[in-house]
Structures are given as C-alpha cells and as structure tokens.
Amino acid sequence: MIEIRNVWKEYGDQVVLERVNLRIEDGEFCSMVGASGCGKSTFLRLLLGQERPTRGTILLDGAPLPAEPDAHRGVVFQRYSVFPHLSVLRNVLLGLELPHARFTGRLFGARRLIARDEAVAMLTRVGLADALDKYPHQLSGGMQQRLALAQALVMKPRVLLLDEPFGALDPGIRRDMHELLLKLWHETGLTIFMVTHDLKEGFTLGSRMLVFDKVRVDPQAPGAYGARITYNIPLERNRDAQHGPAAAMPDALAL
Ligand SMILES: Nc1ncnc2c1ncn2[C@@H]1O[C@H](COP(=O)(O)OP(=O)(O)OP(=O)(O)O)[C@@H](O)[C@H]1O
C-alpha cells in the first residue's frame, strides 16, 4: 500500500504540489490527469524516489519510501526510456545483469543463460520475440514503448510509473498498447500510476482517476500556490456506465 501524507513540493519559491493526501491499495491502476504544468510528472518523480517532498511523507507498506529509485519501482516515459546503443535483448538484460555484475555489466555462464531466458520471455510477452537483435532506431514508436515496458517489467517492480507512455503513438497503435498494458496489469497484479493527457484513455484504462488541479490561484504570484488532488474517482463500478464519471467532471478542467 502507498500512503501519501500531506506532501508538498516546492522549487525555490514556486509551490508545485500542496497538501497531497492519498492512499492507494496494491494492484490499483491510477490514471492521473490535470492541466499542463500542474505537477503530475513531479508527483511521479516523488513516487520514484528521484525527488524528495519538501514537506510530508510517502510510505510504502508503512515504511518511508527509499531515498533513491530502486527495482521496486519501474518507470516508462513518453520517449527515450531505452538505451539507443544497445540491442533490444541487451536493453532488457541490462537491468538483470547490473545488480550482479556492477563492474562489467555482464553475467557469465549459467546465470547469464537464466537472465537471457527471463529477458526473452518478457520480450515475447510484449510481442518483440522477433526483434531481439534489432536496435531501438530500427523499431517503430509502438515497438520502442513495448521495449520500454519489457525493460521495466523484467525487474518485477511492485509499482509501475508511466509518464504519458502512449502520448507519441498513433491511435491504432495506442489501442494495441492499451490491450497489452491491461493484460500485463491483470497478469502481474502491479500497482500502476499513469499520467495521461487523454481523459478517455484514463477512464478506459484505470481503476481510479486522480485529477490534479490548482484550487487557489493568485494572478500576481503564479507560483504561490500548488496543485492538489481535487478528484479521486474509483472507476470499477462506473466504467461501463453510459455517461460515466466524465459527465460529473467540471467543464473548466482544461487538459
Ligand atoms: N527540477 C525542477 N526545477 C524547477 N522547477 C521544476 C522542476 N521540475 C518541474 N518544475 C516545475 O514544476 C511545475 C510542474 O512540472 P511538471 O512537469 O511536474 O508538470 P506536469 O503536470 O507533468 O506538466 P505536463 O502535463 O506539461 O507534462 C512546472 O512549472 C515546472 O516548470
């Protein structure tokens, strides 16, 4: 379980997030939406451990979040998550090898074979079994994002953080990626946090929708107030409802 208690994040005199409180059970899929620049990516970086809250606490299973990113939390960004100079297979193997072979970055013998099997199995799950020796520039955008997902998931993270992972993809490819992500989510029971600018994508995919918004705005001092989670909407019950929770959203929600 992830618990966020009264978290604030400030950069200099700019308040980006204020009074964020949240409790998320294992296995939830949280879609996060909000106006551009309101702090969604910052929130993901806090969950990743890449940034520390200015105030407040983030607890993972009751214990403070480790101060640095670790294998418990995988991350996929909109672009550039993969290493361009490594083959598809090496991109996925790297994460498995590095913790055991810090200096060479490579495993040998039986351990390497086991790691290779794991990497190939994961690449097969995301539909890249035929592209093991290709390099990222030889892949389509959708394939690159499949690779980025495989790279994150092979580490068996408990939490997957996705920052607009499908934002750069064509609609048809996006739909394929949605199906793949839902399949992987159901298979693994992962907890997922996904930032999206696409409200429909958020409602279709998530089990919960989190809306970030600034409640207070001072035109004289744009950085004085930060965003909060203004809506926290469970979606399971509502997903198939004809008008769904989207109908309840404020018109002013500019995404
Ligand atoms: N390292 C940093 N140093 C200073 N300011 C930062 C830093 N990171 C983010 N910010 C500021 O924090 C605010 C929130 O940025 P963030 O990228 O989290 O927003 P976002 O909601 O993800 O935006 P978008 O939807 O456009 O991706 C922005 O005003 C940004 O300039």
Side-chain angles (χ1 to χ4, degrees), residues 11 14 16 34-43 45 51 163-164 195 197:
Y11 292 112
Q14 182 188 7
V16 175
S36 184
C38 74
K40 304 177 295 294
S41 300
T42 301
F43 182 71
R45 289 199 300 275
E51 304 250 7
D163 200 348
E164 287 190 70
V195 172
H197 277 110

Side-chain angles (χ1 to χ4, degrees), residues 5-70:
R5 290 190 191 154
N6 196 24
V7 159
W8 294 63
K9 182 66 188 173
E10 295 164 15
Y11 292 112
D13 56 6
Q14 182 188 7
V15 183
V16 175
L17 294 170
E18 62 178 42
R19 281 183 226 175
V20 178
N21 287 289
L22 187 66
R23 219 179 132 102
I24 296 296
E25 299 294 335
D26 289 346
E28 288 245 30
F29 186 151
C30 301
S31 296
M32 305 193 297
V33 297
S36 184
C38 74
K40 304 177 295 294
S41 300
T42 301
F43 182 71
L44 276 191
R45 289 199 300 275
L46 291 172
L47 290 177
L48 185 62
Q50 215 174 41
E51 304 250 7
R52 310 294 299 162
T54 310
R55 263 165 287 160
T57 323
I58 303 180
L59 300 172
L60 187 61
D61 292 332
L65 197 72
E68 293 197 348
D70 63 29

Side-chain angles (χ1 to χ4, degrees), residues 215-237:
V215 180
R216 302 179 288 173
V217 181
D218 178 351
Q220 307 302 322
Y225 300 108
R228 300 179 195 170
I229 295 176
T230 50
Y231 288 82
N232 176 348
I233 311 166
L235 297 177
E236 293 298 358
R237 276 173 302 129

